[in-house]
Coordinates of all heavy atoms in Angstrom, one line a residue:
Chain Y
G40 N -18.9 16.1 14.1 CA -19.8 16.9 13.4 C -19.2 18.1 12.6 O -20.0 18.9 12.0
Q41 N -17.9 18.2 12.6 CA -17.2 19.1 11.8 C -16.4 18.6 10.7 O -16.1 17.5 10.7 CB -16.4 20.0 12.7 CG -17.2 20.6 13.9 CD -18.2 21.7 13.4 OE1 -17.9 22.5 12.5 NE2 -19.4 21.7 13.9
G42 N -16.1 19.5 9.7 CA -15.0 19.1 8.9 C -13.7 19.2 9.4 O -13.4 19.9 10.4
P43 N -12.6 18.6 8.7 CA -11.3 18.7 9.1 C -10.8 20.3 9.1 O -11.3 21.1 8.2 CB -10.5 18.0 8.1 CG -11.4 17.1 7.5 CD -12.7 17.7 7.6
E44 N -10.0 20.7 10.3 CA -9.5 22.0 10.3 C -7.9 22.0 10.2 O -7.4 21.1 10.9 CB -9.9 22.6 11.6 CG -11.5 22.8 11.8 CD -11.8 23.4 13.1 OE1 -11.7 22.6 14.1 OE2 -12.1 24.5 13.3
F45 N -7.3 22.8 9.4 CA -5.9 22.9 9.3 C -5.2 23.2 10.4 O -5.7 24.0 11.3 CB -5.6 24.0 8.2 CG -4.1 24.4 8.1 CD1 -3.3 23.5 7.3 CD2 -3.7 25.5 8.6 CE1 -2.0 23.8 7.1 CE2 -2.3 25.9 8.5 CZ -1.5 25.1 7.8
L46 N -4.1 22.5 10.7 CA -3.3 22.8 12.0 C -2.0 23.3 11.4 O -1.6 24.3 12.0 CB -3.1 21.5 12.7 CG -4.3 20.8 13.4 CD1 -3.9 19.7 14.3 CD2 -4.9 21.9 14.4
T47 N -1.2 22.6 10.7 CA 0.1 22.9 10.3 C 0.5 22.3 8.9 O -0.1 21.3 8.5 CB 1.1 22.6 11.3 OG1 2.4 23.3 11.1 CG2 1.4 21.2 11.5
Y48 N 1.6 22.9 8.4 CA 2.1 22.5 7.1 C 3.5 22.5 7.0 O 4.2 23.4 7.5 CB 1.5 23.5 6.1 CG 2.2 23.7 4.7 CD1 2.2 22.7 3.8 CD2 2.9 24.8 4.4 CE1 2.9 22.7 2.6 CE2 3.5 25.1 3.2 CZ 3.5 23.9 2.3 OH 4.2 24.1 1.1
F49 N 4.0 21.4 6.3 CA 5.5 21.4 6.0 C 5.8 21.3 4.6 O 5.0 20.6 3.8 CB 6.0 20.1 6.6 CG 6.1 20.0 8.1 CD1 5.0 19.7 8.8 CD2 7.3 20.3 8.7 CE1 5.1 19.6 10.3 CE2 7.3 20.4 10.2 CZ 6.2 20.0 10.9
Q50 N 6.8 22.0 4.0 CA 7.4 21.8 2.7 C 8.7 21.1 3.0 O 9.6 21.8 3.7 CB 7.5 23.0 2.0 CG 8.1 22.7 0.6 CD 7.4 23.2 -0.6 OE1 6.2 23.5 -0.5 NE2 8.0 23.4 -1.7
N51 N 8.9 19.9 2.7 CA 10.1 19.2 3.0 C 10.3 19.1 4.6 O 9.2 18.8 5.2 CB 11.3 19.7 2.3 CG 11.2 19.6 0.8 OD1 10.9 18.5 0.2 ND2 11.4 20.7 0.0
E52 N 11.4 19.6 5.0 CA 11.5 19.6 6.6 C 11.1 20.8 7.2 O 11.1 20.9 8.5 CB 13.0 19.1 6.9 CG 14.0 20.2 6.6 CD 14.4 20.1 5.1 OE1 13.9 19.3 4.4 OE2 15.4 20.8 4.9
A53 N 10.7 21.8 6.5 CA 10.4 23.2 7.0 C 9.1 23.3 7.3 O 8.2 23.1 6.5 CB 10.9 24.3 6.1
Q54 N 8.6 23.7 8.6 CA 7.3 24.0 9.0 C 6.9 25.4 8.6 O 7.5 26.4 9.3 CB 7.1 23.7 10.4 CG 5.7 23.8 11.0 CD 5.6 23.5 12.4 OE1 6.6 23.5 13.3 NE2 4.4 23.2 13.0
L55 N 6.2 25.7 7.6 CA 6.0 26.9 7.1 C 4.7 27.7 7.4 O 4.7 28.9 7.2 CB 6.0 26.9 5.4 CG 7.3 26.4 4.8 CD1 7.2 26.3 3.4 CD2 8.5 27.1 5.4
E56 N 3.8 26.9 8.0 CA 2.6 27.6 8.4 C 2.0 26.9 9.7 O 1.9 25.6 9.6 CB 1.6 27.6 7.3 CG 0.3 28.7 7.6 CD -0.4 28.9 6.4 OE1 0.1 29.0 5.2 OE2 -1.7 29.1 6.6
K57 N 1.5 27.7 10.6 CA 0.8 27.0 11.7 C -0.5 27.8 12.0 O -0.5 29.0 11.9 CB 1.7 27.1 13.0 CG 2.9 26.2 12.9 CD 3.6 26.1 14.4 CE 4.2 27.3 14.8 NZ 5.0 27.1 16.0
S58 N -1.5 27.0 12.3 CA -2.8 27.7 12.6 C -2.8 28.2 14.0 O -2.2 27.7 14.9 CB -4.0 26.6 12.4 OG -5.1 27.0 13.1
R59 N -3.8 29.1 14.3 CA -4.0 29.6 15.7 C -4.5 28.4 16.5 O -4.4 28.6 17.8 CB -5.0 30.8 15.6 CG -4.5 32.0 15.0 CD -5.6 33.1 14.8 NE -6.6 32.5 14.0 CZ -7.8 33.2 13.8 NH1 -8.1 34.2 14.5 NH2 -8.7 32.7 13.0
L60 N -5.1 27.4 15.9 CA -5.5 26.3 16.6 C -4.4 25.6 17.4 O -4.6 24.8 18.4 CB -6.3 25.4 15.7 CG -7.6 25.7 15.1 CD1 -8.1 24.7 14.2 CD2 -8.6 26.0 16.2
L61 N -3.2 25.7 16.8 CA -2.0 25.0 17.4 C -1.5 25.8 18.5 O -0.7 26.6 18.4 CB -1.0 24.9 16.3 CG -0.2 23.5 16.2 CD1 -1.0 22.4 16.0 CD2 0.9 23.7 15.1
S62 N -1.9 25.4 19.7 CA -1.5 26.0 20.9 C 0.0 25.6 21.2 O 0.6 24.6 20.6 CB -2.3 25.6 22.2 OG -2.1 24.4 22.5
D63 N 0.6 26.1 22.2 CA 2.0 25.9 22.7 C 2.1 24.5 23.1 O 3.2 23.9 23.1 CB 2.4 26.9 23.8 CG 2.4 28.2 23.4 OD1 2.5 28.5 22.2 OD2 2.5 29.2 24.3
R64 N 1.0 23.8 23.4 CA 1.2 22.4 23.8 C 1.3 21.5 22.7 O 1.7 20.2 22.8 CB -0.1 22.0 24.6 CG -0.4 22.8 25.9 CD -1.5 22.2 26.8 NE -2.8 22.4 26.0 CZ -3.4 21.4 25.4 NH1 -2.9 20.1 25.5 NH2 -4.6 21.6 24.6
F65 N 1.2 22.0 21.5 CA 1.3 21.2 20.2 C 2.6 21.4 19.6 O 3.1 22.6 19.5 CB 0.2 21.4 19.3 CG -1.2 21.0 19.7 CD1 -1.9 21.6 20.7 CD2 -1.8 20.0 18.9 CE1 -3.1 21.0 21.1 CE2 -3.0 19.5 19.3 CZ -3.7 20.2 20.2
S66 N 3.3 20.4 19.2 CA 4.6 20.6 18.3 C 4.6 19.5 17.3 O 4.2 18.4 17.5 CB 5.8 20.6 19.3 OG 5.9 19.3 19.9
A67 N 5.0 20.1 16.1 CA 5.0 19.0 15.0 C 6.5 19.2 14.4 O 7.1 20.2 14.4 CB 4.0 19.4 14.0
E68 N 7.0 18.0 13.9 CA 8.2 17.9 13.3 C 8.2 17.2 12.1 O 7.4 16.2 11.9 CB 9.3 17.3 14.3 CG 9.6 18.1 15.6 CD 10.7 17.5 16.4 OE1 10.9 16.3 16.2 OE2 11.2 18.2 17.2
R69 N 9.1 17.4 11.1 CA 9.3 16.4 10.0 C 10.9 16.3 9.7 O 11.4 17.0 8.7 CB 8.5 17.0 8.8 CG 8.5 16.0 7.7 CD 7.7 16.7 6.5 NE 7.5 15.6 5.4 CZ 7.4 15.9 4.1 NH1 7.2 17.0 3.8 NH2 7.2 14.9 3.3
P70 N 11.5 15.6 10.5 CA 13.0 15.4 10.3 C 13.3 14.8 8.9 O 12.6 13.9 8.4 CB 13.3 14.6 11.4 CG 12.1 13.8 11.9 CD 11.0 14.7 11.6
K71 N 14.1 15.4 8.2 CA 14.7 14.9 6.9 C 13.6 15.0 5.9 O 13.7 14.4 4.7 CB 15.2 13.5 7.0 CG 16.4 13.4 8.0 CD 16.9 12.0 8.1 CE 17.8 11.8 9.2 NZ 18.3 10.4 9.4
G72 N 12.5 15.6 6.0 CA 11.5 15.8 5.1 C 10.7 14.6 4.8 O 10.1 14.4 3.6
S73 N 10.8 13.5 5.7 CA 10.1 12.3 5.4 C 8.8 12.2 6.2 O 7.8 12.9 6.0 CB 11.0 11.1 5.5 OG 11.5 11.1 6.8
F74 N 8.9 11.2 7.2 CA 7.7 11.1 8.2 C 7.5 12.4 9.0 O 8.4 13.2 9.1 CB 7.8 9.9 9.0 CG 8.9 10.0 10.0 CD1 8.6 10.4 11.3 CD2 10.2 9.6 9.8 CE1 9.6 10.5 12.3 CE2 11.2 9.7 10.7 CZ 10.9 10.2 12.0

Side-chain angles (χ1 to χ4, degrees):
Chain Y
Q41 300 297 316
E44 295 175 287
F45 171 78
L46 290 179
T47 191
Y48 156 70
F49 290 85
Q50 174 130 347
N51 300 311
E52 67 276 6
Q54 187 175 18
L55 297 182
E56 189 168 335
K57 292 195 285 188
S58 161
R59 289 172 299 173
L60 292 175
L61 215 65
S62 76
D63 292 344
R64 297 183 298 105
F65 287 70
S66 63
E68 294 182 342
R69 192 182 182 198
K71 302 178 184 177
S73 56
F74 71 92

